[in-house]
Amino acid sequence: MSAASKEIKRITTHILQKMKMDGERISMLTAYDFSMAGILDDAGIDILLVGDSASNVMAGHETTLPITLDQMIYHAASVVRAIKRSFVVVDLPFGSYQGNSKEALISTIRIMKETGAHGVKIEGGEEVIESVKRIISSGVPVMGHLGLTPQSIYKFGTYAVRATDDTEAQKLLKDAKLLQEAGAFAIVLEKIPALLAKQVAEELTIPVIGIGAGKYVDGQVLVMHDMLGINKEFKPRFLRRYLNLYDDIFKATQQYIHDIKSRDFPNDQEQY
Ligand code: KIV
C-alpha cells in the first residue's frame, strides 16, 4: 500500500478518480460475506464488488442469471457490515433492471437502502444508458460493465474473449464513452484484447478496471474464490492464483476427521 493510501479513511469515487489521474492502480475483488469481506478490507482492498458471480461461487448455479435481488441484498448487507475503508459496489442482478429505467432505479434504491453499499454495477452500454442516467440522477454512483457480460451468456453462447473483431471493438469503445458521458464513475472491462482495453483506458477519463483485459488498464478485479484457489477447475489465462485454498481446506478437513476418529480431538486441554 502506498503512503497516500494509508492516510485515506474511506475510499470514495473522488479518490478512485484521483488514483486514475495519479497513475495509482486500483485493486478490486469480489466479496459476498461478512468474514471474508472483513479480511479483504483490513488488507487494504480499494473496491469490494458484491458480484452476481455469487450465483456461481456461493449458490452453485451454472450462470449468474438465477440470483435474485433479495439474495444480492443479503450478500451486500453482510459485506457492508464488515468494511471500514473499501468502496462497496453491488451488481444489479439479471431481471432487476432490464425492464426500463424506473425498474432499474427501484432496484437500486432497494440495494442502497437495505445494504448501505456505495454504488451499483450494471452490465451493458447503449441499451442501459437511460437507466444509468436515471440512477445517477438519484445520487447513486454507477459502474459500467462491458466486454464479456455474463448475464448475456446465452446470447454470446460462449465465455470466449469478446470484441476481437472491429465491429464489436468499435461498439465497445462507443459504449464506454456513452457510459462516461452518462456519468458512470468507472467501467469494468471483462475478457477483451489488452490493446483494445488500453485504448479505452487512454480515451476515457474515468477509471477502467479489467478482468482478463490486460495490464494497461487502471485497475484489476478478480473473483475472490478464483484468486484464493477455492475453485480448482476454473483456470482461464487471466487468472493468477495467490493461494490454493481448496487443497489447504481439504487437508485440514481430512486431519480433523482423522483426529476425531482416532480420539485425539478433543484432548484433556480442550475440554471443561
Ligand atoms: O459478478 C462478478 O464477479 C463480476 C466480476 C467478474 C467483474 O462482475
Side-chain angles (χ1 to χ4, degrees), residues 28 30 32 49 51-53 91 121 145 188 190 211 221 223:
M28 173 164 154
T30 64
Y32 317 97
L49 170 67
D52 59 359
S53 49
D91 263 335
K121 176 160 81 59
H145 185 155
V188 165
E190 181 164 352
I211 172 164
V221 56
V223 169

Side-chain angles (χ1 to χ4, degrees), residues 29-33 36 40 53-54 56-60 75 222-234 239-246 249:
L29 272 173
T30 64
Y32 317 97
D33 72 287
M36 291 303 294
L40 307 182
S53 49
N56 309 103
V57 297
M58 299 300 288
H75 287 296
L222 285 175
V223 169
M224 176 188 64
H225 287 61
D226 304 335
M227 175 270 198
L228 295 178
I230 297 174
N231 296 332
K232 262 173 104 84
E233 286 79 31
F234 188 60
L239 174 62
R240 185 179 292 183
R241 284 214 181 108
Y242 288 82
L243 280 178
N244 281 307
L245 267 193
Y246 180 96
I249 295 171

Side-chain angles (χ1 to χ4, degrees), residues 23 46-48 70 84 119 131 139 178 187 214 226 228 238-239 252 264:
D46 296 316
I47 305 177
L48 282 177
D70 283 339
K84 302 181 198 80
S131 299
L178 284 173
I187 295 179
D226 304 335
L228 295 178
F238 68 76
L239 174 62
D264 176 73

Side-chain angles (χ1 to χ4, degrees), residues 10-13 48-50 69-70 72-81 83 86-93 96 103-122 131-132 134-143 185:
R10 268 189 183 274
I11 301 286
T12 62
T13 54
L48 282 177
L49 170 67
V50 184
L69 184 58
D70 283 339
M72 289 300 296
I73 287 172
Y74 170 81
H75 287 296
S78 309
V79 166
V80 170
R81 270 179 230 122
I83 58 105
S86 315
F87 190 83
V88 180
V89 179
V90 184
D91 263 335
L92 279 167
S96 73
E103 182 184 44
L105 180 61
I106 290 169
S107 300
T108 299
I109 289 173
R110 277 204 62 201
I111 289 175
M112 300 304 284
K113 271 190 179 295
E114 296 177 39
T115 73
H118 310 128
V120 295
K121 176 160 81 59
I122 186 164
S131 299
V132 170
R134 197 157 177 178
I135 295 167
I136 293 169
S137 69
S138 78
V140 177
V142 173
M143 176 180 269
F185 74 94

